[in-house]
Every structure is written in structure tokens, then in C-alpha cells.
Amino acid sequence: MTRIPTPVMQATAVPAEAPFDISPGAPTMAAGSLLYLDNVSVSFDGFRAINKLSMIIKPGEMRAIIGPNGAGKTTMMDIITGKTRPDEGDVIYQGKVDLTKHDEAAIANMGIGRKFQKPTVFESHSVYDNLLLALKQDRRVFPMLFRLPSKDEQTRIDELLALTRLGDLRETVAGSLSHGQKQWLEIGMLLAQDPQLLLIDEPAAGMTDAETEETAKLLKDIAQTHSVVVVEHDMDFIRSLGVRVTVLHEGSVLAEGSLDQVSANQRVVEVYLGR
Amino acid sequence: MTTSLSTSRGFLFGAMTGRATVITLGLILGAAVLVPVLNALPDGSPFKVPTYTVSLFGKYLCYALLALAVDLVWGYCGILSLGHGAFFALGGYAMGMYLMRQIGDRGVYGHPVLPDFMVFLNWKELPWYWYGFDNFAFAMLMVALVPGILAFAFGWFAFRSRVTGVYLSIITQAMTYALLLAFFRNDMGFGGNNGLTDFRDLLGFDLRSDGVRRGLFIASALALALGYIACRFVTTSRLGKVLIAVRDAESRSRFMGYRVEHYKVFVFTLSAVLAGIAGALYVPQVGIINPGEFAPINSIEIVIWVALGGRGYLFGAIFGALAVNIAKSYFTVAFPEIWLFFLGALFVLTTLFLPKGCAGLLSILKFPGLGTGMGFARKKEAGND
Ligand SMILES: Nc1ncnc2c1ncn2[C@@H]1O[C@H](COP(=O)(O)OP(=O)(O)OP(=O)(O)O)[C@@H](O)[C@H]1O
Ligand SMILES: [Mg+2]
């Protein structure tokens, strides 16, 4: 079977929506999209972790990304958030900003929030302070030196504490939270940033089934008002999200469509699901 | 400086240092009053503190301020600077230059303007960078500006290039070593090997008089107290929370939108200014500044004080500097040959058994009894740091 150059569905699967037909380099495609990756490649010591990857995320969309270990899912997020510079290709945000020209802090302040694969919270700060630091605010040095917590901030933090069910743990040092609680705190921190686009890497990793279910619910809620890209290995989780799925393999898009569609895809079965 | 504390009891060491702040400031200010008073007692009084001791402890207060500066960057922002001795020495040199100019024509060669060493080197006129140092206010400005600008420039390049960890420590050592070599050179115009010494007056008062000695002690104590308050303000502010966030998870802070390099440059510069002020107060009390102050080992010693006292506790840094230096004065007289072994052993033992230093030990011992509602055990099990 030959490689599929563009992220269209296999002929057998009939896409629910019209398949994306990304013609590389077409500027019109970026217009109206929230995130537009075009022909992006990056190599580490000669190894192509991302290989001519193209993808479009529409405003308000929730997208699930799956793929075997080492497929390049985390690396893709690294590229979008400015941690890794691609060797070639464009990453266009909101149809106008070339993200490859900005660093992590600038990209975060443009409204792209990220949750890491390994939950990363500020371990020696309380849950409250973790959220306080995450809140959208003027993050320059001197304003931060003199700013006191405002009523609005308190209210917002209380909301987030309720949403992430961490209300009773407000003053607890984040380092002593359970794994699942840290995952939730990190999602709370993401929301505190009030981003337009959330990139969420394996939110259910290390969670119990019940926690996983709760997390799926939470993400669906979040997706009502935000655009979300979520990477996950857990198929039940993906299924419960019920959103469009992109399968990554060896740094490029292998298939895209509903979970049933991609599951029926022969190549996807070969590289991923069938193992 | 306690404004943000009320809403952030979970803040690292928060409640504990609220009390520690009051005690620390009380002790410093108490010493600022008591020691000079005891020194002013008539000779023969059993409570008289000799002037020599006043200056000795004045010197320790300067070290304490220096330790505070190192704790600010290392304890709160994770920047292990092994070059703070350089900022201390630069502040010292700026003060030394003022004191040299104060000598006027009373030098051995009696030159009206040129310090002795310049006459000795056959220099005809004052180098441009010595201009203005006859003015006390200008010299004091330089005490803060020179270390501050060096730290800003150094930090700008290092932190923007994301040099961290051991690499950063190494280049800070290289920086102080490079300055050591530069200041050794006679043609640098800072007295070469011998440095600056034979000072006479400060603001027109005889440097050797008891009154000036007391004044310097009080100034050192006040500088330490103000430095402590400044550090408390910074570390308990929202910016201080960012510093700790950077220390614990640097890249997470970046992805949250914080410009980590700006925060590091800010705190590194502030810290260098504090170190410079410490150096400036140190020099008139010891009577000399020479390139030896740039020796890389000096900067390492400061880190040992902080580690022993308790990294990440401001009062711990002060305590560490005082304790180690008092022990040093005793040991280097009683058992000069074992001092370094003793210090080394102490450092190794603290690192192994007391990773949070004496202050950490204190908080473990005191916390359950204080009933502040912030269980230390809970924090401990967090396994942070
Ligand atoms: N900084 C790096 N240096 C070298 N190789 C890297 C780097 N980052 C990623 N890689 C390699 O790129 C490939 C893709 O890694 P990536 O972490 O993106 O995979 P992933 O799809 O997130 O996998 P997983 O499901 O295990 O999280 C892997 O083979 C990885 O070893
Ligand atoms: Mg990954």
C-alpha cells in the first residue's frame, strides 16, 4: 500500500464531513482556520520526528489526536507552542500569525495553552497559587511585583476550584496532590489562562476509569467554549469525546475522520489499533 | 510586605516566615542599638564590647547581606550563582576608590590627587574612570550601579540564551575569575595585587575612630535589615511566586506566558546590587580591598553559608553567614589547619542530612507545635525542591 500524502480518508471510509483537502502552500486555507499546519517537518539528529505534517483546526473545534508511541504527537505540540522550531513548513494561528517566529511565552500570551503529558504543576505552591499564577494577567515583571489579588481573581479561582473539584484542597501544596488531581489542577490552570486553543497531551494517563470518565466530561464542557486539541491513547476516552480524530504515524497524518472511520482504516489497524 | 501573605497562606514557608521576619528584624535592629551602646561604655566595664569586635561583627553583617543576595537568586529562583563574590568585590572597589580619594594629599608621596600606587607607577593623571569618586554620593551610586549593570548585562546574555544549571554556575565562576585576573593587573588602575588600602577618612571622619566604627556597624545592620525587607517584599509578592514557579518548573512557566529570562535578569540584578552594597560596607571595616575578593573560592563559600543556613529561607541565609563566620574566626585561630576540612565536612553533612539547612530543621521541629494549621509534614511529603 502506498503512503497517503495528504490527510484524506481512505477510500473505504466515508467521511461525515467533506474531507479536508489541504493543498500545501495555499494561503486561502489558513484563512478562517484557528490553527493551520502546512507541510511541517522537523528532524532530531537526522531522525524525522515530524514529516510533512499538515492539519487544520477550525475555530471552536475539538480534535482528538491518536497514534502509536513516537508518532510525533508531543513533538507536534512542541512545534505549535514554540518549544521546537520546525525545519520547514508553516504554523499559522488565526489565519495571520506565523507561530514559528515566536517563543513559548509569546505564543502562550496569544491564547494557546498547553497541558503536558507528564502533569506539570508548581509543586511547592498551593493549589490556589498555582491557579493565581495561571490566571490571565499582565505577566510583565514590574506589574507582577506590585499586583495584589483582586475580587474578580478570587471569584474566578473559586469557580475553577469548583470546576476541577479541588475546592477542599485550595491551600494544599500541589506537590502532595494525587496524580489525577494534578492532571485536573493542570487543566484548571489551562482554563485560568483563558486560552482560545487548548492543547492537551494525554489527560487521562494514570487515571482510574472513573476519573477518566469525569475528565472526558470536563473536556466536553470546556470544548463548548474553547477549541481543543487532545492527544490520548485511551480509545474509550476518545470514543466518549465523540469528535473528529486524526491519526498520526511517523510524523504525518495517516487518516482523519470519526473514530469508527479511522478504526476501519486498514493502515490504521496495521500501525496502531491492531497491535 | 505582608499584604499578599494574608491571601496566600499556602505560599511556601508563608506563615512560618511571617514570625521569622519579625524575629529576624528585631534581632538585627536590636544588635544595631545594643552593640554600639556597649562599645561606648567606659574602658574596664565588664560589658564593654571592644571596637575590634564591633568591626568584626560589622563585617559579618556584610557577609549576611551577601548571603541574603545569594539566597534570593538561588533559593527562590534556582539560579546557583558561584560568582556573587564579584559583585561584592565591585561594590567594595567603588567604596575603596572613594576612600582613596579621601586620602587627598596625605599619601606617602603627597600627591594632591593621585593615589600612592599611581604615583608609584609614574602615572601623570587620574584615569577617567576615577573621576567623580571624590564625591560620596557619586561613589555610592556606583556601588549599586557597577555590580547592577554587570549583572544585568551578564544575565541578559546568559538567561536569554537559556544557560541554566551547572553551565550557568560555571560561567559565573569564569566571570569572577576573569575579574580577578583583570584586577591583578597594575595597568587596570585599581592598585593591582595590593588593591586599595591605607584609607584614612570617611565623609571627613577618621576611619579608625570608635565613633566611625560604630557608625559603620549601625549602617551594616540597617543595610541588612533593609535588604531583608526588600527580599521579603520581592519573595512574598506575586512576582516572588513566579520566581518559585521558575525554580520548580521553568518551562511550565514559559508555556504559561511568563518571560522567564526577564524575571531572572530582574532578580539577578537586584541581588547583585545587594551584594555590591554589602561589599561597600565591608571595605571600610576591614580597611582593604584587593583582587583576592574576586577569588572563585569566595563565591563558593557564600553558597555554603546559604546551604547551611537554609536555602529558600531568608533568615536562614543570614543565620548561615553569621554562624559559619563566627565558627571560622574561632577555628582559624584555634585549629587553623583543619578549618577547611571542618567547613567541607559540615557542608557534606548538611547536604546529606539537612537539605533545607538549619532553617529547614527549625521549621520541622517547630511546626507541629506552632499550630498554624499548615502541616509541615504535608509539605514534606510533597517532596519538592
Ligand atoms: N528533543 C528531541 N530530541 C530527539 N528526539 C526527539 C526529541 N523529541 C522527540 N524526539 C523523538 O521524536 C519521536 C516523536 O516523539 P513524540 O514525543 O512526539 O512522540 P509521541 O507521539 O508523543 O509519543 P508518546 O505516545 O509516547 O507520547 C520519538 O521517536 C522521540 O524519541
Ligand atoms: Mg507524547
Side-chain angles (χ1 to χ4, degrees):
Chain A
M1 200 177 260
T2 51
R3 262 193 117 349
I4 303 159
T6 48
V8 293
M9 294 298 306
Q10 279 286 87
T12 47
V14 183
E17 301 168 40
F20 289 111
D21 181 15
I22 298 168
S23 37
T28 44
M29 291 306 292
S33 70
L34 181 65
L35 186 68
Y36 174 72
L37 275 73
D38 181 31
N39 222 17
V40 176
S41 298
V42 70
S43 303
F44 299 113
D45 310 319
F47 168 73
R48 281 209 157 199
I50 295 288
N51 189 9
K52 296 194 171 31
L53 173 68
S54 300
M55 189 185 301
I56 289 186
I57 308 292
K58 290 178 291 181
E61 183 181 355
M62 182 184 215
R63 176 76 60 92
I65 311 257
I66 60 173
N69 293 112
K73 305 179 296 292
T74 300
T75 307
M76 180 191 83
M77 291 195 171
D78 287 346
I79 290 172
I80 297 168
T81 53
K83 185 180 178 206
T84 302
R85 293 242 175 282
D87 301 333
E88 54 179 319
D90 296 322
V91 182
I92 312 289
Y93 181 55
Q94 295 179 330
K96 49 183 196 273
V97 191
D98 184 354
L99 293 181
T100 62
K101 297 195 167 48
H102 298 272
D103 67 4
E104 299 97 316
I107 292 170
N109 287 320
M110 285 173 201
I112 299 184
R114 175 175 186 184
K115 197 202 88 58
F116 289 79
Q117 187 163 346
K118 178 178 170 289
T120 321
V121 295
F122 302 126
E123 305 249 316
S124 43
H125 280 312
S126 65
V127 168
Y128 176 92
D129 279 348
N130 268 278
L131 292 169
L132 180 71
L133 287 181
L135 282 181
K136 185 175 185 163
Q137 58 195 304
D138 184 347
R139 299 190 197 275
R140 285 171 305 163
V141 170
F142 288 101
M144 287 296 286
L145 181 57
F146 298 108
R147 185 170 315 118
L148 296 175
S150 70
K151 200 88 214 107
D152 288 352
E153 286 180 329
Q154 311 270 10
T155 317
R156 181 72 187 127
I157 290 176
D158 286 338
E159 281 169 18
L160 290 165
L161 285 170
L163 189 69
T164 54
R165 291 147 207 210
L166 294 168
D168 296 339
L169 301 168
R170 189 188 168 90
E171 301 298 338
T172 305
V173 173
S176 59
L177 296 178
S178 75
H179 187 83
Q181 288 167 334
K182 279 186 196 171
Q183 297 271 39
W184 278 54
L185 173 57
E186 203 179 355
I187 293 173
M189 288 159 73
L190 261 193
L191 292 174
Q193 276 175 254
D194 191 21
Q196 251 191 308
L197 172 63
L198 287 82
L199 306 175
I200 302 184
D201 205 348
E202 303 202 14
M207 283 190 171
T208 62
D209 288 352
E211 283 174 328
T212 304
E213 220 170 282
E214 288 293 323
T215 307
K217 257 191 238 156
L218 177 64
L219 285 191
K220 276 196 279 190
D221 274 357
I222 292 170
Q224 304 285 315
T225 44
H226 300 81
S227 307
V228 180
V229 174
V230 53
V231 165
E232 192 42 78
H233 281 295
D234 186 326
M235 282 305 146
D236 295 334
F237 180 85
I238 299 282
R239 189 169 299 282
S240 63
L241 292 180
V243 296
R244 200 174 170 82
V245 175
T246 298
V247 185
L248 281 196
H249 177 54
E250 291 177 349
S252 10
V253 175
L254 186 66
E256 204 165 273
S258 72
L259 184 61
D260 290 336
Q261 289 161 358
V262 298
S263 310
N265 181 310
Q266 197 51 45
R267 264 188 67 78
V268 172
V269 173
E270 270 170 39
V271 303
Y272 187 59
L273 298 165
R275 290 188 310 163
Chain B
M1 69 201 199
T2 50
T3 35
S4 56
L5 260 180
S6 53
T7 50
S8 58
R9 286 199 22 249
F11 175 58
L12 191 72
F13 325 131
M16 162 95 195
T17 36
R19 174 172 301 195
T21 304
V22 176
I23 297 175
T24 307
L25 283 176
L27 288 175
I28 297 171
L29 296 176
V33 174
L34 194 65
V35 173
V37 166
L38 293 181
N39 174 251
L41 292 174
D43 289 337
S45 159
F47 299 109
K48 169 129 182 143
V49 173
T51 305
Y52 166 79
T53 311
V54 173
S55 284
L56 188 66
F57 277 83
K59 187 175 101 172
Y60 296 161
L61 292 177
C62 298
Y63 286 152
L65 181 56
L66 178 56
L68 204 57
V70 168
D71 197 21
L72 184 64
V73 287
W74 185 39
Y76 289 86
C77 198
I79 304 168
L80 176 53
S81 168
L82 295 178
H84 260 55
F87 304 126
F88 181 79
L90 286 172
Y93 266 97
M95 175 61 103
M97 288 162 80
Y98 165 75
L99 295 172
M100 288 306 267
R101 298 291 311 267
Q102 280 266 295
I103 297 172
D105 60 4
R106 292 169 295 171
V108 177
Y109 298 104
H111 194 286
V113 177
L114 292 190
D116 278 348
F117 74 89
M118 290 186 191
V119 182
F120 183 77
L121 291 172
N122 260 328
W123 291 18
K124 295 293 168 244
E125 54 187 289
L126 204 62
W128 61 268
Y129 47 83
W130 275 75
Y131 290 160
F133 276 92
D134 49 337
N135 179 308
F136 183 73
F138 177 81
M140 291 309 101
L141 191 65
M142 291 300 126
V143 160
L145 272 187
V146 172
I149 288 171
L150 175 65
F152 183 87
F154 180 94
W156 180 257
F157 288 111
F159 300 135
R160 220 183 32 156
S161 324
R162 303 201 178 171
V163 182
T164 53
V166 70
Y167 299 100
L168 185 92
S169 303
I170 290 171
I171 60 169
T172 55
Q173 280 265 286
M175 173 193 74
T176 193
Y177 189 61
L179 286 167
L180 170 80
L181 296 181
F183 275 74
F184 257 126
R185 292 157 47 99
N186 278 331
D187 49 7
M188 272 289 279
F190 297 107
N193 192 14
N194 298 323
L196 311 175
T197 187
D198 295 328
F199 309 132
R200 286 166 180 270
D201 297 341
L202 177 68
L203 289 168
F205 298 103
D206 184 359
L207 210 50
R208 266 152 288 190
S209 69
D210 288 357
V212 169
R213 294 285 160 161
R214 288 197 284 268
L216 283 168
F217 180 91
I218 294 170
S220 305
L222 289 181
L224 179 59
L226 289 175
Y228 182 72
I229 292 170
C231 289
R232 279 289 298 170
F233 178 76
V234 168
T235 56
T236 56
S237 73
R238 197 175 290 202
L239 174 139
K241 294 182 204 289
V242 179
L243 295 181
I244 290 173
V246 168
R247 180 193 72 187
D248 291 350
E250 176 165 340
S251 74
R252 187 75 188 85
S253 337
R254 278 215 174 85
F255 288 112
M256 203 175 260
Y258 290 104
R259 293 220 158 267
V260 166
E261 56 276 16
H262 292 189
Y263 283 82
K264 287 187 172 178
V265 168
F266 167 79
V267 75
F268 195 64
T269 305
L270 174 64
S271 168
V273 169
L274 292 175
I277 294 170
L281 286 159
Y282 168 86
V283 165
Q285 299 187 85
V286 297
I288 183 168
I289 173 81
N290 64 29
E293 294 296 338
F294 287 106
I297 185 78
N298 285 20
S299 298
I300 294 175
E301 259 197 76
I302 310 164
V303 169
I304 297 181
W305 306 339
V306 176
L308 281 171
R311 174 189 173 205
Y313 297 87
L314 295 172
F315 70 91
I318 296 175
F319 172 79
L322 296 178
V324 173
N325 281 291
I326 290 169
K328 184 179 185 173
S329 304
Y330 171 74
F331 269 89
T332 45
V333 174
F335 318 98
E337 55 298 314
I338 67 157
W339 162 247
L340 276 179
F341 294 102
F342 177 76
L343 184 66
L346 212 57
F347 182 60
V348 170
L349 289 176
T350 340
T351 323
L352 288 179
F353 300 111
L354 273 184
K356 289 186 169 183
C358 297
L361 181 69
L362 191 71
S363 64
I364 291 172
L365 296 178
K366 277 284 172 72
F367 242 98
L370 284 179
T372 53
M374 276 186 56
F376 187 80
R378 194 171 63 192
K379 283 186 183 178
K380 266 211 78 194
E381 117 206 347
N384 50 48
D385 226 295

